[in-house]
Amino acid sequence: MQTNLEYYKIFYYVARYCNFTKAARVLGNSQPNITRAMNSLEQQMNCILFIRNNRGVQLTPEGERLYVRVAAAMEQLQLAEEELQASSGLEH
């Protein structure tokens, strides 16, 4: 399965904030685009990742399993960026 990595980033922020609109603001995107991306991710995964309600979203058990992995990956990417910034700061 070839899933767009941007979908995982969007998934991470939607799950983190339990809200499509808040995730859209953080990502500098529109809420309809975020919703479309998550609908596409759910179709690609062939499962429901979020329970949607008028207050936001809640992860399904499948969504929770995915979030554990995606959150770990996001943390590793953020650490790598910080390490690179720190080392390039020493060189300058």
Side-chain angles (χ1 to χ4, degrees), residues 1-4 44:
M1 172 175 38
Q2 188 70 23
T3 301
N4 182 336
Q44 289 179 13

Side-chain angles (χ1 to χ4, degrees), residues 44-74:
Q44 289 179 13
M45 296 287 179
N46 199 30
C47 67
I48 303 297
L49 300 171
F50 298 103
I51 298 169
R52 292 146 172 88
N53 59 48
N54 58 354
R55 294 182 183 205
V57 296
Q58 178 183 342
L59 289 171
T60 63
E62 296 83 4
E64 288 177 12
R65 284 197 300 272
L66 181 61
Y67 181 73
V68 167
R69 302 292 186 160
V70 170
M74 289 294 292

Side-chain angles (χ1 to χ4, degrees), residues 4-69:
N4 182 336
L5 290 177
E6 189 67 19
Y7 287 174
Y8 290 125
K9 181 179 178 182
I10 294 168
F11 170 80
Y12 170 76
Y13 282 101
V14 171
R16 181 175 173 187
Y17 294 106
C18 298
N19 190 289
F20 285 94
T21 304
K22 287 179 185 176
R25 273 192 229 122
V26 169
L27 294 167
N29 209 323
S30 71
Q31 182 269 324
N33 285 342
I34 299 299
T35 300
R36 273 192 291 276
M38 291 304 88
N39 289 340
S40 293
L41 181 61
E42 288 178 324
Q43 286 177 349
Q44 289 179 13
M45 296 287 179
N46 199 30
C47 67
I48 303 297
L49 300 171
F50 298 103
I51 298 169
R52 292 146 172 88
N53 59 48
N54 58 354
R55 294 182 183 205
V57 296
Q58 178 183 342
L59 289 171
T60 63
E62 296 83 4
E64 288 177 12
R65 284 197 300 272
L66 181 61
Y67 181 73
V68 167
R69 302 292 186 160

